[in-house]
Amino acid sequence: MSVLLDLVTIVMVSAGMVFFLAGTVGLLRFPDTLTRLHALTKADNIGLGLVVIGLVPQAGSLRDGLKLLCVWLLVLLASATVSQLVAQAARREGDSS
Amino acid sequence: MAPGQNGDRRAAIVRTGLLFGLWTILAGTGVADLLVGTVVAALAARVSLNLLSPGPHRVDPATAARLSLRFLLQSVLAGLDVARRAFDPRLPLRPGFIVYPTAAPPGLFRSAFTAFTSLLPGTVPAGPAPARGADAGGIVYHCLDVDAPVAAQLAAEETALAGVIRDE
Amino acid sequence: MTIVPALDLFVAGVVLVVAVWTVAVRNTSSAVVGFVAYGLLLALVWVRLGAPDVALTEAAIGSGLTGALLIGAAARLRAGESTVAAERPGVPVRLLIAALATVVAAAIAGVLLSLPDPAPTLAPEATANAGATGLGNPITNVLMAFRAMDTMLEKVVLLLAVLGIWSLSPDAAWGGRPHLPHRAEPDAALEFLARVLTPVGVVLGIAVLWVSADHPGGAFQGATILAAMWLLVLMAGLGEVPDIGRRRLRLALVVGPAVFLTIGLGGLVVSGAFLSYPQGFAKPLILAIEFAMILTVATTLGLLVAGPPVAGPPAAGSAAAGSPARRAAP
Amino acid sequence: MSEVLVFGLCAAVVAGLGLYGAIVDPRPLRKILGFNLLGSGVFLFFGVVARRGAAAGFPGDPVPQALVITGIVVAFSATALAVTLLLRFFETTGSSSLRDGAAADGARDTAES
């Protein structure tokens, strides 16, 4: 059982890392602030989600697992807000120049 | 008068319950934890009612659960979409702005909608459209691919979300 | 080399790169962003050093709140920055200062290498006396019991800083209300976050205090979360900083030190020493102090970021606007 | 215990960097930033000393760790006071230069414009 859970963790966390890598590659390769914003928010949100799902089986208790999920939800909320704020600022800058 | 008060009370109970649930996750379920938790949850619920009055909005839990699943799927697609573009040596991007015309007035629903769609594939909301002109009232979206059927997708999301948060 | 020391080296390297960038980058706003990133990375280092309580403090105060304070100041000082930057000393002087800084760094490194082995430690004493308070978190024990005097005086330092900032207000503004220098223009996304996140933050902040009896956390870290929520509501335009002359605000500022002092003097009467807790009552008394403290510290931290009052007190009758976050929801 | 050496040296370098920045950069806000870096390097050194004192089942000596928490909070309040002083100075003189006579220049510039 525990081997199976470890396997789930390894697979999920590795998949999450791939998305983080994708986000970073996008950050470096995409041409401007707005497209980079896409790369960072979308890829990192799902990357963090997969890492969290992967870590839940390793949590000592149900409470710890739920705490991990709370972390992800809060990051999603923050990411949704921050991406809009940055996008607006970038758009305004683009308008004025 | 009476229905409004009922709605207020129901909102207060629901929010206190949710915040209390959060407290038990964070602080534990010992006797002292629970006692303090009721006070803290009531306090936080009061803050919540001050900041977000129950108003005419109602959240339907069953549809909300379905929407969360849809949302999970969409955010996986969003991640895959970005990853595909980032790793593709040709860098297939056609970035640009589109204006999504929405009938939603500024408020909770519209804010929830923009927050929700900021996590979907290919779109990031970039603020309201200029107040004057043909696009007035719309939301500006920045898209990775302006040729994709973005507006249709957004309209579908708006319908889905409207089933969860609706005016009574 | 196994993987963990390699990771340590990597983290230390990144910390140093970000620190160099913070010092060297031309634009001050970028330097502040660098400092925030540095603080967050440093929180990782604190975890590696076995100090999760410090990691929380570093991330919340050292990085987050300091960043909020400095980014606003950087924006206001942008005008005329380049003329001041041109006053940089010439190369010989800079080399001299670099040599001095290197000597200081080398001295610290030298001290590190010549520390006595085995290292002196108070950890056994902290364990031996942990039973006296009934708290499981050694840091909370040190802060609230063994070195409670320091913690109490620290509250007073925070208060003095607020007084110092207030005293910099123009005469006409005394008793009026501070205005966040970098308050964002009303924005739907920020407003939505403030309306939804703030209650969650309140629960989170108090929970961080509550669990600190036995787990990492504490009144400062919790208070910082509460202060952040307050600032978020202010920045979203959902509330105003109250007039600094308001009695309730001043009460919130003094309640922490007052409860601390009262319980301390009570210890003098009951157990014969200032700030000694009577046998068996330590835990509830410490929690009472911490709850009073979280209110004071959260208010203080918010006011430290908000700055001095800029507008005079309102005429009598319009005082209702001071109560936070009372605006019709959409 | 290799993290003691790695992060100890890191602390020393950060303190040196902060000192350099605080002295060399003429902009007061950058001096404040440099000072914060210097302080943070010293705190980190404390953390390393605490880590060496790991004993009795604790991952580190709790006393220096608690001192660092107090230190971070006090450093923040000092930074807030310094920033407010700086902003007030800027408002009054129209310049953030600390050079002798620069304040008078700035005030004259603002008066003339």
Side-chain angles (χ1 to χ4, degrees), chain B residues 19 22-23 26-27 32-33 36 40-41 43-44 46-48 50-53 56-57 106-108 111-112 115, chain C residues 188-189 192 194-196 198-200 202-204 206-208 210-211 233 238 291 324-330:
Chain B
L19 291 163
L22 176 66
W23 172 270
L26 296 172
D33 300 331
V36 175
V40 174
L43 179 80
R46 238 193 90 183
V47 172
S48 170
N50 274 348
L51 287 171
L52 189 62
S53 62
H57 301 289
L108 179 68
S111 299
Chain C
F192 178 70
R195 289 185 197 280
V196 175
T198 306
V200 175
V202 168
V203 170
L204 189 60
I206 301 179
V208 166
W210 177 251
V211 301
V233 168
L238 296 174
F291 270 108
R326 283 276 186 185
R327 210 175 81 178

Side-chain angles (χ1 to χ4, degrees), chain C residues 108-181:
Chain C
I108 296 177
V111 169
L112 173 83
L113 295 174
S114 60
L115 285 173
D117 207 25
T121 173
L122 290 166
E125 279 85 346
T127 325
N129 294 302
T133 59
L135 303 181
N137 179 350
I139 309 280
T140 309
N141 262 335
V142 173
L143 282 175
M144 300 307 298
F146 309 150
R147 300 292 311 164
M149 181 75 105
D150 294 356
T151 310
M152 190 184 85
L153 290 177
E154 178 190 10
K155 298 294 141 333
V156 180
V157 168
L158 279 174
L159 267 187
L160 285 177
V162 169
L163 289 182
I165 286 175
W166 284 0
S167 69
L168 291 168
S169 64
D171 284 350
W174 178 252
R177 91 174 21 136
H179 189 75
L180 281 178

Side-chain angles (χ1 to χ4, degrees), chain B residues 88-167:
Chain B
D88 191 317
R90 283 171 296 119
L91 207 63
L93 294 175
R94 265 187 303 276
F97 292 104
I98 66 146
V99 177
Y100 174 67
T102 172
L108 179 68
F109 176 77
R110 190 182 164 117
S111 299
F113 176 66
T114 53
F116 183 67
T117 49
S118 79
L119 303 166
L120 297 181
T123 54
V124 169
R132 267 181 276 176
D135 300 331
I139 304 169
V140 178
Y141 277 87
H142 184 264
C143 316
L144 281 184
D145 186 352
V146 281
D147 297 336
V150 178
Q153 190 202 344
L154 288 172
E157 300 305 335
E158 189 174 358
T159 317
L161 190 66
V164 177
I165 304 178
R166 59 165 185 266
D167 297 344

